[in-house]
Amino acid sequence: MFTYQTTYSTLILAITALAFISSSSNADTYTAPRLNHGSPDFQGTWTNVSLTYLQRSARYKNNILSAEEAAAIEQNTAARQARGLKPTDPNAPPPPKGSNVGGYNSFYLDQGDNLAYVDGAYRTTWLVNQEDGQLPYSAAGKKVFDENLYQVRNDFSGPETRPMAERCIIGFGSTAGPPMLNVQYNNNYQIVQTPNSIMILVEMNHDARIIRMQGEPLPNGMTQWFGDSIGRWEGDTLVVETRKFNPGESLRTWFNQSLYISPDAVVTERFTRVSDSQIHYEFSVDDPTIYSETWHAKMVFNKTNEPIYEYACHEGNYAMTNILSGARATEEVSR
């Protein structure tokens, strides 16, 4: 007689094998629907929400996990999220002085339920050519990253010293990109196409990124927040090359997944629709000022029928006022 664990493990392996066969056959035989002007149709709302992030978390030992390992992580995540959804005890005593008072509970977060399944494997990092699952900073590049990160985490002299996302100018991490990365919430994207341009609306901070098809580079004096993106078609794959990043976007902060991309970087993205419900997204970052080598990553975007909601972020929020007033109070006490 099979135990529950044996049956569960067998079921997981069967589903994994079926998903791999289905994914492989779909990628080889799927023909994307066409718009009136003939290009593959990427329109709709998509999400890259996942327990997988750009760099491998320290709690994982490998870039690729077995189906059983992935299932155990997902079960633990579900249990942790359930605990985070419990109502706050109104009779609980105040936290000890100097302790973390906490932030959002699970209701306000959308970090996903599953590790990403890419190219037939469960992945703990989007990076595909880094054995340690970490970005390949050069010594000089790591110094630039560390110094900039230290400044925004310790300089509260005014709003101009705070990160762009904290000021509600662009999204956290690299949500709008490029490359477009998932964070702890608002991981939805709406794509709208015309013959001459493709717009990607990002739920985080309602950033609208415009990709010009077969366009000419912008003049050197123009530095858009998300760089100068020019697209072209290679068969059914949308290839986008982005240059001339705004210096204000170089440091992209989100906890231990922060990264640095210099204004001189070249980011190349490849979007391929492999089924009615999934887009394969590959990207490379060529930035010799910061990294010791060009790094590559693969991600999946899944179709969602959920609408994109307004991200109500603004510079006049309480957080910015409290951050700066708290810094002034600290300065006063330290005199």
Side-chain angles (χ1 to χ4, degrees), residues 253-292:
T253 55
W254 181 57
F255 299 105
N256 61 350
Q257 293 288 331
S258 300
L259 72 157
Y260 194 96
I261 295 179
S262 80
D264 298 324
V266 179
V267 178
T268 303
E269 304 163 283
R270 301 177 67 88
F271 302 76
T272 306
R273 189 164 180 179
V274 296
S275 72
D276 287 343
S277 60
Q278 194 169 79
I279 292 173
H280 278 192
Y281 176 56
E282 302 180 32
F283 56 87
S284 63
V285 176
D286 183 10
D287 190 1
T289 303
I290 303 298
Y291 298 101
S292 60

Side-chain angles (χ1 to χ4, degrees), residues 105-126:
N105 61 22
S106 297
F107 177 82
Y108 293 96
L109 303 179
D110 182 18
Q111 301 182 79
D113 304 309
N114 307 103
L115 287 165
Y117 190 71
V118 184
D119 288 347
Y122 291 97
R123 298 196 60 87
T124 59
T125 169
W126 300 125

Side-chain angles (χ1 to χ4, degrees), residues 5 16 18 34 58 80 98 103 107 123 131 134 169 181 186 212 226 251 256 270 277-278 289 291 302 307-308 325 332:
Q5 183 60 43
T16 300
L18 181 61
R34 268 17 190 205
R80 185 172 63 252
F107 177 82
R123 298 196 60 87
E131 290 187 5
Q134 304 300 303
I169 294 176
L181 304 177
N186 296 75
R212 304 191 324 283
F226 314 121
L251 181 64
N256 61 350
R270 301 177 67 88
S277 60
Q278 194 169 79
T289 303
Y291 298 101
N302 295 294
I308 286 183
S325 62
E332 188 66 27

Side-chain angles (χ1 to χ4, degrees), residues 17-38:
L18 181 61
F20 175 71
I21 294 171
S22 175
S23 176
S24 299
S25 60
N26 280 354
D28 293 338
T29 63
Y30 180 75
T31 300
R34 268 17 190 205
L35 295 171
N36 291 336
H37 56 269

Side-chain angles (χ1 to χ4, degrees), residues 1-78:
M1 184 174 71
F2 292 118
T3 64
Y4 170 78
Q5 183 60 43
T6 302
T7 305
Y8 180 78
S9 299
T10 303
L11 178 61
I12 287 294
L13 289 171
I15 291 173
T16 300
L18 181 61
F20 175 71
I21 294 171
S22 175
S23 176
S24 299
S25 60
N26 280 354
D28 293 338
T29 63
Y30 180 75
T31 300
R34 268 17 190 205
L35 295 171
N36 291 336
H37 56 269
S39 66
D41 184 2
F42 286 84
Q43 294 194 122
T45 304
W46 306 83
T47 179
N48 62 358
V49 64
S50 177
L51 297 177
T52 302
Y53 293 108
L54 177 63
Q55 300 187 86
R56 190 178 81 207
S57 169
R59 64 177 174 269
Y60 304 130
K61 295 182 179 180
N62 300 299
N63 293 348
I64 295 176
L65 301 179
S66 68
E68 290 89 351
E69 290 172 323
I73 289 169
E74 291 164 3
Q75 290 178 45
N76 290 337
T77 300

Side-chain angles (χ1 to χ4, degrees), residues 88-101:
T88 301
D89 181 3
N91 299 314
K97 184 178 180 180
S99 66
N100 189 340
V101 298

Side-chain angles (χ1 to χ4, degrees), residues 147-167 169 248 251 253 315 320 323-324 327-328 331:
E147 288 176 348
N148 279 268
L149 189 62
Y150 179 85
Q151 180 180 7
V152 299
R153 289 183 172 174
N154 294 276
D155 188 346
F156 305 97
S157 56
E160 294 81 7
T161 64
R162 308 310 307 137
M164 295 296 105
E166 196 172 285
R167 297 169 60 190
I169 294 176
L251 181 64
T253 55
E315 286 198 70
M320 182 62 73
I323 287 169
L324 298 180
R328 302 295 80 78
E331 292 168 355

